[in-house]
Amino acid sequence: MDKKIILESNFIKNRIIKIVIYFIFPLLISATGIKPVHCTGAGLPDDSINNIASNIFTSEEGIVYKAIEGTNEYQVVSYTGNGRNVIIPDEYNGYAVTSVAAGSFRGNEIITSVIIGSNIKSIGAGAFSYCGYLKSAEFKGNKIKAIPSNCFEACASLKKIELPESVKKAGYRAFAFCTSMYQIIIPGQVTSFGKEIFYGCNRNRLTVVTETGSEAEKTARKYNLLVTDTSQTVLSSSSLTDIEGAQDKIYVYSAPSKVKWKSLDPGTASVNKHGRIKALKPGTATVTAKTAGIELKCRVKVYKRNKKNCLKVVYSKYVRKEMTDYEKVYAAHAWLIQNVKYDKTLYKTGTVPAISHTAEGALDRGIAVCDGYAKAFIIIMEHYGIKSRMVTGGAHAWNIVKIKNKWYHVDCTYDDPIVNGSFNNRNVFLDFFLKTNKEMRITHIWDYSAFPKCNSKKVNKSYRTV
């Protein structure tokens, strides 16, 4: 065949193919719904194609995507934009955006907010770590199963975050050094928490909002964080009852900014910058807490210090229907340590007033020696309906207490030590709380045969008196 005829024939064939590609093929796509294959880059604007061969694409917003081989999905791998507010979309170029790669935003010094699309199922380790200006992060979807290790580590400007209901696990240092974070909402379904998850967070500021009894609550308490079941900015208590000389502390849950405390009746009850209230004289006072334009109020009722009022206050503050005997014993132990001073005249003169050997000394005056502590403890236990006895030996006195038919040692005096010469310790030590005979024999002497044996090594913390 003539060479010219062959060339003309090929030319005509090529023209037909181009007509099909440019005119007929788009009509077929529209009619059938069939979409182009990722690797062709078909349908993408010229400025969105970085490297078709490796399936890497950059959107106009600066989000860099990678096509996940064998799927109709994209993964976010980086961000090169200048926008401060980043929205990871549900879809890109018609395909679902389902994951964020490890370290994809790490160290970004531009973004201040990020909205994570509803199709995201997984996030890689450290994806948003060290984003120093990131203030908010929002999850639109409910498909993510885990917050990975170091995910938001060192996001020093991050204020608050709510984890999706789908999350079951939060990894190592996921929120470490989020020093400005004041609220994190954690679903009760999250049952696994990595080490140092809240390391370096502000313990006086961060509030964990979660279900009562959840693993998140236990983890929050482990880190000495504020924990509550409401996301509102509220006081830990809107009213208090106390006796003269007693101290209490209240907190603001989910405070958006630094709290400013003030007593409107400072002669009756004072308050310091940390929310610690001191009852000064009988009467009623109002304490206010201001944060981010919100003013919260706590009513403080102060009673005259005497045995009757002490028992009233202890009972009203510490006894609730849902409390266990263990919790009641702990509350009585803590209250005596925080509200009774050891009588220092014993050290100064070698003698001590007779009243300091009595429960009245501890309850009426707030001053006692060992047997005064022990007798006051028995009275409080009787008020609770829990059996207790005083043990004496070696010129010392303490208590044994019965929880679910088992006896334990409790020494309030030894757990209220003289610290650096101060007779006003308020730290609640537990070195001599619910101990066995074997443990107490190291430091205490008594007639073992005269008292019930205390041999149980484990306390039943769920027991309640019927």
Side-chain angles (χ1 to χ4, degrees), residues 163-185:
L163 305 189
E165 291 288 335
S166 55
V167 172
K168 308 293 182 186
K169 178 181 180 181
Y172 169 77
R173 286 202 172 199
F175 302 100
F177 296 106
C178 290
T179 52
S180 296
M181 189 160 64
Y182 70 87
Q183 183 187 83
I184 179 168
I185 301 175

Side-chain angles (χ1 to χ4, degrees), residues 179-414:
T179 52
S180 296
M181 189 160 64
Y182 70 87
Q183 183 187 83
I184 179 168
I185 301 175
I186 304 178
Q189 294 90 331
V190 183
T191 56
S192 177
F193 293 88
K195 291 182 179 180
E196 300 183 3
I197 184 168
F198 295 116
Y199 185 81
C201 291
N202 189 338
R203 290 186 297 178
N204 296 317
R205 183 90 179 276
L206 178 56
T207 299
V208 175
V209 180
T210 189
E211 296 175 16
T212 302
S214 65
E215 280 299 316
E217 181 188 36
K218 294 176 185 176
T219 301
R221 297 196 186 285
K222 175 183 174 182
Y223 285 89
N224 293 319
L225 301 175
L226 302 178
V227 59
T228 182
D229 59 0
T230 177
S231 60
Q232 298 179 346
T233 301
V234 295
L235 283 173
S236 57
S237 180
S238 59
S239 64
L240 288 175
T241 56
D242 245 320
I243 54 172
E244 296 172 285
Q247 290 192 23
D248 239 314
K249 189 171 183 179
I250 55 177
Y251 306 88
V252 177
Y253 294 132
S254 301
S257 63
K258 186 176 180 179
V259 179
K260 293 183 179 180
W261 297 92
K262 183 179 180 180
S263 173
L264 303 184
D265 309 277
T268 301
S270 63
V271 62
N272 69 9
K273 63 180 181 180
H274 302 297
R276 185 171 291 280
I277 296 171
K278 185 171 183 178
L280 300 173
K281 69 178 184 178
T284 302
T286 298
V287 170
T288 64
K290 292 183 179 180
T291 174
I294 303 168
E295 182 175 270
L296 306 168
K297 295 182 179 181
C298 177
R299 180 178 179 273
V300 182
K301 175 69 175 176
V302 182
Y303 289 98
K304 182 176 178 61
R305 181 160 193 150
N306 57 45
K307 178 180 175 181
K308 179 182 176 181
N309 286 338
C310 282
L311 292 175
K312 180 192 294 185
V313 168
V314 173
Y315 197 78
S316 65
K317 288 179 67 172
Y318 295 113
V319 178
R320 299 182 302 277
K321 184 178 179 181
E322 67 273 16
M323 285 180 72
T324 68
D325 282 5
Y326 167 83
E327 291 172 320
K328 293 173 184 177
V329 172
Y330 178 88
H333 172 264
W335 187 89
L336 283 168
I337 289 170
Q338 293 174 318
N339 291 279
V340 179
K341 300 178 185 179
Y342 194 85
D343 193 339
K344 60 185 177 183
T345 59
L346 178 63
Y347 285 82
K348 288 186 174 182
T349 66
T351 60
V352 65
I355 194 171
S356 292
H357 289 286
T358 67
E360 286 72 18
L363 299 175
D364 290 1
R365 298 169 64 243
I367 300 173
V369 289
C370 58
D371 52 344
Y373 279 85
K375 291 168 184 174
F377 183 85
I378 290 173
I379 289 176
I380 296 173
M381 289 298 99
E382 287 175 347
H383 205 64
Y384 289 164
I386 298 173
K387 290 184 178 180
S388 177
R389 291 178 59 180
M390 185 170 74
V391 182
T392 58
H396 185 51
W398 66 98
N399 299 97
I400 55 173
V401 64
K402 193 175 187 180
I403 300 179
K404 199 176 183 180
N405 299 319
K406 295 180 180 179
W407 290 91
Y408 303 86
H409 290 272
V410 176
D411 192 336
C412 295
T413 309
Y414 273 31

